[in-house]
Amino acid sequence: MRAVKMAPAGGLARGPWVPLAVLALLARAALALTERYPALSLFQQERHRQRHGPAGEWAEQYSAECDSSFLHFHESDCDIGGSSSCESILSFNTEKILSQAKLLAEQKRFPFATDNDNTNEELAIAYVLIGNGLYDEAIRHFSTMLQEEPELVSAIYGRGIAYGKKGLHDMKNAELALFELSRVISLEPDHPEVFEQRAEILSPLGRISEALSDLTKAIQLQPSARLYRHRGTLYFISEDYATAHEDFQRSLELNKNQPIAMLYKGLTFFHRGLLKEAIESFKEALKQKADFIDAYKSLGQAYRELGNFDAATESFQKALLLNQNHVQTLQLKGMMLYHHGSLDEALKNFKRCLQLEPYNEVCQYMKGLSHVAMGQFYEGIKAQTKVMLNDPLPGQKASPEYLKVKYLREYSRYLHAHLDTPLTEYNTDADLPGNFKDHWAKNLPFLIENYEEQPGLQPHIKDVLFQNFESYKPDVQELICVADHLGSMMQYETPGFLPNKRIHRAMGLATLEVMQAVQRTWANSKVRMNGKTRLMQWRDMFDIAVKWRRIADPDQPVLWLDQMPARSLSRGFNNHINLIRGQVINMRYLEYFEKILHFIKDRILVYHGANNPKGLLEVREALEKVHKVEDLLPIMKFNSKTRDGFTVNTKVPSLKDQGKEYDGFTITITGDKVGNILFSVETQTTEERTQLYHAEIDALYKDLTAKGKILILSAELGEVDAVCNLILSLVYYFYNLMPLSRGSSVIAYSVIMGALMASGKEVSGKIPKGKLVDFEAMTAPGSEAFTKIARSWMNLKSISPSYKSLPSVSETFPTLRTMIEVLNTDSSHCLKKTIVVV
C-alpha cells in the first residue's frame, strides 16, 4: 500500500471548505484519541492472522506489509520502519489532522476520489480519522455526507472499511461492513480492490468459499502478485495445497522477490509430504530474506520430519540466534529434542518457552511429560495440573494437550507408586482400570463413569536421582553401550522417523533381556512374571520389550488390546493409518504404495470377474492405465457398488491349518468429484480375530521352544536355521495381529533380535532405507515370504562370545527406578569405547 509523504507539521490555515461541525468533530476526535489510542500509522495496517498446519505447529502469517489491501490507495515499495514515507501521520492536533486531510484531498490519495474538491476534502477527513483509529467518528462523518449524497461511493466504501476495522468479533460490524462493500460493488463493479477488501472481511468469518470467489473476480479484473498470494493463502487454509501452490507460483512469477510467498509455497510442499521440495523453497525464501525467522523454523521442522536431527537443530538454532525469544521455535525445538531422547535439553526449551508465554499449553504439557519421563514426578505432576486448569470456554474446542493430560497425570501417579516395586511382582495391564485404558488408547475425552483416581504422590517415595555412567560397574557400562548399539540397528531410514537415542537404549536393553530370558527358558528354567514363577510363554517374551517401550516414553499408551474391557474388545479396535488424505501424502509409507496398488488391481479384477463378467475387459483395459492410486477413482464408476469407494481385504495364510486364512488389514479408497482421495489401511482387532492369531502364535511358540531346547544340546546348522525361521514366522503373525495400542513394530523387532541371539545368531545388517518391518510383514503373501525378505537384509552371523559375559538385564534393572536411571544416563563416551560385539 502506498504511503503518503506529509508536509512538515505547521500552522496551515484552515480554508473556508471546513464547516464548523467538522471542526467540532475533529476536536472531539483529537481528545478521544489522546485518551484511548496509542500512536498509529495510517498505512501500517494489521492483517488478520490465521493459524495453519498440523497441531498448530505452523502458525504462519502474513506480517503487516506496505501492500495490505486495507485502506488500499496506491501501490508502493515503502519499507515500514525504514522509510520516512511510511512514518506515522497521526496527530493529536486538530490543525494537523486538517493539514493531513488537505494534502490527502489534493493528491486524491484515497479510494474513489471525486471531481469535486470540497467533497474530496470532507472525504479525506474521514479517511484520516480511520487511519488514526477513530472509527466511530469516521462512520459519523461518512454518514453525514451520505445523507446529502446517498450514492457517494467513496463514503460508502470508507464506512465499510471503518465497520471492518472496528472489529469483526462483533457480527454487527461484520454485517455492516459487508453490506457497504456489496453496495460499492453494485455501483462500481470493476474495481478489484473492493472485491479483495470484501474477501478480507469474509475470510476471518469462515466464509472462505465466498472470499475465494471475490479474490478470483479481483484477479480477473486486474491480476497482481498480491492477489494471487492472498488467494493462495485461503486455499492453503482450506487444505487445497495443490491449488494454493499454483497461486503462490503465479504470484512469484509476477514478483519473484516475495519471501513470504516463497515460504508458503514451501508449506504447500510440506503439507503434501514433499519434504525435499519444501526444503528447497524454504532455502530460497532465506536467500531473499536472510533474517527470516519463520523460514528457518519451517526449515527445521522439515528436516525434523525427514529424520535429519543435525540439520533440524542447526535451522532451529539459526532462528533463535535471530530472536532468542521466538516462542514457537523454542516449542518446536523442544519437541524435537524430546522425541530424539534428549529430555534434559528439551526441558530447557520448554521452561524458556513458558517464561515468555506462561499459558502455552503445549510447552506446559511437554514440560510435565519431560519431568515424568526422567522420574521427576513432583515437578511433572505440578506442570500437568496447570494444563488441567485451562478448561476450554463454552463452544471452544479442547486442545490435544488438555485431552491427554489427565491420562498422563493418572499414569504418572501409578508409575511413581511402583517406582521401587520389583517389576516381576505387578502387571500394568491388569492394574489400570479397563475403561481408563480403553479411553486412553482411543484418545477420548476423560469422561469415565465411577472412575477412582490413583492415589496422590507418597512423600516416602523419592524422585529418581541422576546416575553418572561412571558410577556403574564396568560390566554394566559395557551392557549399556552394547544396548545402544543394538537399539540403533532398529532405526528406520525413512522420512518421518527421527532417531531417538532413549528408545534405542530401551529397546537394546529389551533385546538383551529377551535373549537372556529365552536362553533360560530353553534350558528349562522358569521365569518370574506378574507375581508368579512359571515357564515363559510367548506373551512374556513380548512383555519384556513392552515394559521397556512403555517407560521410554510415558506419553504413549502401550497396552495389550485383548486386556481391554470385553465390551470394547467385542466392538474391535481399529489401528488406522491414512496413506493419502486429500492432498496429504504420508511419506512414511510411500515405498509401499506401488505394492498395495498392484494388490488392489488384482482384487478389482477378481471382484469384477465374479460380479460383472461382461465388463471385465473394459475394467482390465482401464486398470492397465493405472499407475498411481489416484488413477483408481475413475474405475469406481464401472460398478454402482464401488462408485463412492471400495474396500479390499488382505488375507494371512495359516501355517497351523493349511488352506485356512485369517483377516489381515483392510485397504479403503474413496474419492469425490474434485479428486480428493482418502487412501487408508486399518487393522481391526476383534476378540474372534485375536483368538485365531493367538492359536497360530501358540503353536509356533510351542514348536520354537521344543526346537530351542534341542538347539541348546546340539548346535547343528539345520537346527539353527529352523529356529530362525520359526522366530520370524511367529513375529509375522504378531505384526499382522497388531495386538498393542502403540509400539508394536519396534517391540516385535527387538523380540526378533533377542530371540535370534538366543539361538546363536546376531543381526548385523540394518533395515534397508524406506523399508518398514511391520509393513513388510503385512504386505507379504505369507510367513515364508516375510522370513525370506527379512533374512535378506539381516545378514545373520554367529553371535559374539562376549554376550555371555554381560550381566543379567532383569537383575541389574529390577525396578522402574533403575530402568529410568539407566535411560537418563549419558552415553556419549560409549562412542569412544570399542564395543566388543561390533
Side-chain angles (χ1 to χ4, degrees), residues 36-75:
R36 292 185 290 150
Y37 293 91
L40 299 171
S41 165
L42 174 59
F43 302 106
Q44 189 173 344
Q45 304 297 338
E46 182 181 347
R47 294 179 69 94
H48 173 68
R49 299 176 180 223
Q50 293 278 4
R51 290 180 70 86
H52 312 309
E57 287 182 1
W58 294 101
E60 304 302 336
Q61 62 195 33
Y62 285 128
S63 57
E65 290 182 287
C66 298
D67 63 352
S68 169
S69 62
F70 268 130
L71 284 182
H72 174 66
F73 301 120
H74 299 278
E75 291 289 344

Side-chain angles (χ1 to χ4, degrees), residues 147-160:
Q147 285 175 357
E148 297 177 13
E149 196 174 339
E151 293 192 349
L152 183 58
V153 175
S154 186
I156 300 170
Y157 183 72
R159 192 162 67 175

Side-chain angles (χ1 to χ4, degrees), residues 538 656 694-704 726 730:
W538 68 263
K656 183 169 68 76
H694 279 192
E696 193 78 30
I697 295 171
D698 282 338
L700 284 164
Y701 183 76
K702 186 177 180 182
D703 199 5
L704 173 64
L726 279 170
L730 186 153

Side-chain angles (χ1 to χ4, degrees), residues 469-768:
F469 183 85
E470 290 75 14
S471 67
Y472 287 110
K473 293 178 181 177
D475 60 343
V476 177
Q477 292 182 20
E478 188 65 36
L479 182 72
I480 296 168
C481 291
V482 170
D484 286 354
H485 165 69
L486 292 172
S488 69
M489 302 288 287
M490 304 179 203
Q491 179 63 41
Y492 284 152
E493 299 293 330
T494 301
F497 291 94
L498 187 74
N500 187 325
K501 59 187 183 181
R502 192 176 180 87
I503 298 285
H504 287 173
R505 178 171 298 174
M507 303 323 292
L509 288 166
T511 298
L512 291 169
E513 189 174 345
V514 167
M515 173 193 76
Q516 293 167 348
V518 171
Q519 284 175 335
R520 289 198 303 272
T521 298
W522 291 348
N524 285 320
S525 294
K526 294 182 179 180
V527 294
R528 181 80 177 168
M529 301 290 286
N530 305 328
K532 295 178 181 178
T533 302
R534 51 177 168 74
L535 292 171
M536 187 169 75
Q537 300 303 309
W538 68 263
R539 191 195 290 265
D540 302 326
M541 183 169 63
F542 284 93
D543 256 331
I544 291 168
V546 166
K547 75 173 181 184
W548 283 103
R549 178 62 183 80
R550 273 179 184 154
I551 205 62
D553 184 6
D555 189 40
Q556 298 180 351
V558 182
L559 301 163
W560 288 97
L561 298 181
D562 69 335
Q563 301 294 302
M564 295 290 181
R567 186 181 60 173
S568 59
L569 187 60
S570 64
R571 294 174 184 169
F573 276 81
N574 289 352
N575 185 327
H576 185 93
I577 301 169
N578 283 331
L579 303 180
I580 302 176
R581 184 183 66 84
Q583 297 168 6
V584 181
I585 299 170
N586 193 332
M587 295 298 287
R588 290 184 170 195
Y589 304 95
L590 198 57
E591 178 87 11
Y592 296 92
F593 281 21
E594 188 175 347
K595 194 173 184 179
I596 295 173
L597 181 60
H598 282 303
F599 175 78
I600 294 169
K601 288 161 76 171
D602 289 342
R603 300 309 300 169
I604 288 173
L605 287 173
V606 171
Y607 175 83
H608 279 275
N611 296 282
N612 183 24
K614 290 183 180 178
L616 185 59
L617 181 61
E618 188 182 1
V619 171
R620 191 185 299 277
E621 290 173 352
L623 283 172
E624 287 173 2
K625 299 172 185 175
V626 171
H627 301 293
K628 55 183 188 293
V629 176
E630 296 90 321
D631 297 339
L632 286 170
L633 294 177
I635 295 179
M636 295 179 188
K637 70 179 186 295
F638 287 114
N639 188 291
S640 59
K641 291 183 179 178
T642 64
R643 190 163 292 151
D644 299 321
F646 58 87
T647 60
V648 179
N649 295 308
T650 65
K651 294 295 180 182
V652 176
S654 169
L655 277 177
K656 183 169 68 76
D657 300 313
Q658 291 297 317
K660 192 174 180 180
E661 291 181 325
Y662 309 130
D663 288 334
F665 63 93
T666 302
I667 305 161
T668 302
I669 298 180
T670 60
D672 57 26
K673 292 177 182 176
V674 295
N676 281 324
I677 188 171
L678 176 63
F679 174 37
S680 64
V681 298
E682 70 177 23
T683 304
Q684 189 172 38
T685 306
T686 61
E687 188 173 10
E688 182 185 1
R689 181 176 179 273
T690 299
Q691 287 174 355
L692 291 170
Y693 274 89
H694 279 192
E696 193 78 30
I697 295 171
D698 282 338
L700 284 164
Y701 183 76
K702 186 177 180 182
D703 199 5
L704 173 64
T705 304
K707 284 191 166 52
K709 288 179 178 181
I710 295 170
L711 184 64
I712 293 286
L713 301 173
S714 65
E716 289 185 19
L717 190 62
E719 293 292 344
V720 174
D721 210 45
V723 167
C724 290
N725 291 343
L726 279 170
I727 291 165
L728 290 166
S729 294
L730 186 153
V731 177
Y732 163 79
Y733 289 101
F734 181 92
Y735 275 128
N736 277 284
L737 173 59
M738 281 290 165
L740 295 165
S741 57
R742 296 292 292 270
S744 292
S745 185
V746 73
I747 284 166
Y749 203 64
S750 63
V751 168
I752 288 175
M753 289 179 65
L756 285 171
M757 287 163 69
S759 74
K761 290 293 181 182
E762 180 184 356
V763 174
S764 65
K766 284 207 167 191
I767 300 164

